Amino acid sequence: NAGVTQTPKFRVLKTGQSMTLLCAQDMNHEYMYWYRQDPGMGLRLIHYSVGEGTTAKGEVPDGYNVSRLKKQNFLLGLESAAPSQTSVYFCASSYSRGESPSQPQHFGDGTRLSIL
Amino acid sequence: QKEVEQDPGPLSVPEGAIVSLNCTYSNSAFQYFMWYRQYSRKGPELLMYTYSSGNKEDGRFTAQVDKSSKYISLFIRDSQPSDSATYLCAMSVPSGGSYIPTFGRGTSLIVHP
């Protein structure tokens, strides 16, 4: 049981380039989330999804897009990368049917993204 | 003012000490309270999960919630160097409200031998 898997683990981009971060979970969770973590700022929610085909904005959505075409996958896209998007990105998932939606989140190990 | 406040530390203690980590919050609707541990270059992992007020114990760890004071704590007894990590508190409201947890900024703990 892999839990939450993020790919890639590390990437360096040039300003203006685009890329997609992939998150996959094998726990049949309904909810999935993308966070960024910066020193002194804690975890900040970028976008989230409450089920296949749904997405919603979090606290810091600007410059990012997401898609949830399959229940087990949640993609985070950067259309035109900027140095301010240098960060560690974490994906999380939670809530299986029959549980409370307030169930704790399970996190991946992060993608370290540097934008030059 | 953030909904959840947490001192970033670092908190440095000798091995064997009792550690107290704390968060305060402003939203009285929070009823689920969580503590996550995050090792360097890893994702957060759930350590303790409590509902409503009171204490919950799991081995060397005790989570305490005081809803009247809007204050939660995590106590670590007989701390070990392997406990060195960042500890994040998180909290959410019950189903039917906002299920998105609100995180504190994390407290860095260093346990030295």
Side-chain angles (χ1 to χ4, degrees):
Chain A
N1 188 346
V4 178
T5 303
Q6 293 183 233
T7 52
K9 289 181 170 33
F10 178 73
R11 185 77 183 266
V12 178
L13 288 179
K14 293 182 180 179
T15 298
Q17 287 185 317
S18 63
M19 80 160 294
T20 299
L21 282 66
L22 171 64
C23 177
Q25 54 94 4
D26 61 2
M27 295 170 283
N28 202 33
H29 281 163
E30 300 293 329
Y31 299 167
M32 297 187 74
Y33 315 78
W34 276 107
Y35 292 91
R36 59 178 291 173
Q37 187 175 41
D38 303 291
M41 301 295 290
L43 285 167
R44 292 186 291 170
L45 183 66
I46 305 171
H47 287 279
Y48 64 97
S49 167
V50 301
E52 182 178 316
T54 75
T55 63
K57 294 181 180 179
E59 180 185 355
V60 288
D62 293 343
Y64 305 95
N65 56 76
V66 287
S67 64
R68 183 98 180 269
L69 298 179
K70 292 183 179 181
K71 185 178 183 179
Q72 64 268 34
N73 295 335
F74 196 27
L75 307 180
L76 177 70
L78 286 72
E79 291 185 345
S80 180
S84 61
Q85 294 177 305
T86 292
S87 187
V88 182
Y89 291 86
F90 287 101
C91 176
S93 69
S94 67
Y95 178 46
S96 297
R97 293 286 176 183
E99 293 179 331
S100 162
S102 294
Q103 282 297 302
Q105 296 178 344
H106 297 253
F107 284 82
D109 278 339
T111 294
R112 282 153 184 80
L113 183 60
S114 292
I115 299 163
L116 307 177
Chain B
Q1 180 187 7
K2 285 178 65 71
E3 276 192 299
V4 178
E5 298 285 352
Q6 186 176 12
D7 188 331
L11 177 62
S12 182
V13 302
E15 183 176 355
I18 297 174
V19 175
S20 173
L21 303 165
N22 310 296
C23 289
T24 60
Y25 62 94
S26 57
N27 185 352
S28 58
F30 287 139
Q31 289 197 25
Y32 290 93
F33 303 92
M34 293 146 277
W35 284 96
Y36 287 84
R37 178 175 61 194
Q38 185 177 20
Y39 290 116
S40 179
R41 307 185 74 78
K42 289 291 205 179
E45 57 176 333
L46 182 68
L47 200 57
M48 301 283 286
Y49 174 48
T50 62
Y51 171 72
S52 199
S53 286
N55 291 0
K56 182 176 182 179
E57 189 173 320
D58 183 1
R60 295 184 297 110
F61 299 90
T62 299
Q64 188 175 83
V65 175
D66 183 348
K67 292 189 72 180
S68 62
S69 301
K70 296 190 181 68
Y71 189 89
I72 69 171
S73 300
L74 178 70
F75 297 98
I76 307 174
R77 291 183 299 279
D78 188 25
S79 56
Q80 303 295 310
S82 59
D83 295 327
S84 299
T86 296
Y87 291 79
L88 299 100
C89 64
M91 45 200 79
S92 63
V93 300
S95 140
S98 166
Y99 44 78
I100 305 295
T102 302
F103 284 86
R105 296 184 179 183
T107 299
S108 175
L109 173 66
I110 302 167
V111 182
H112 51 86

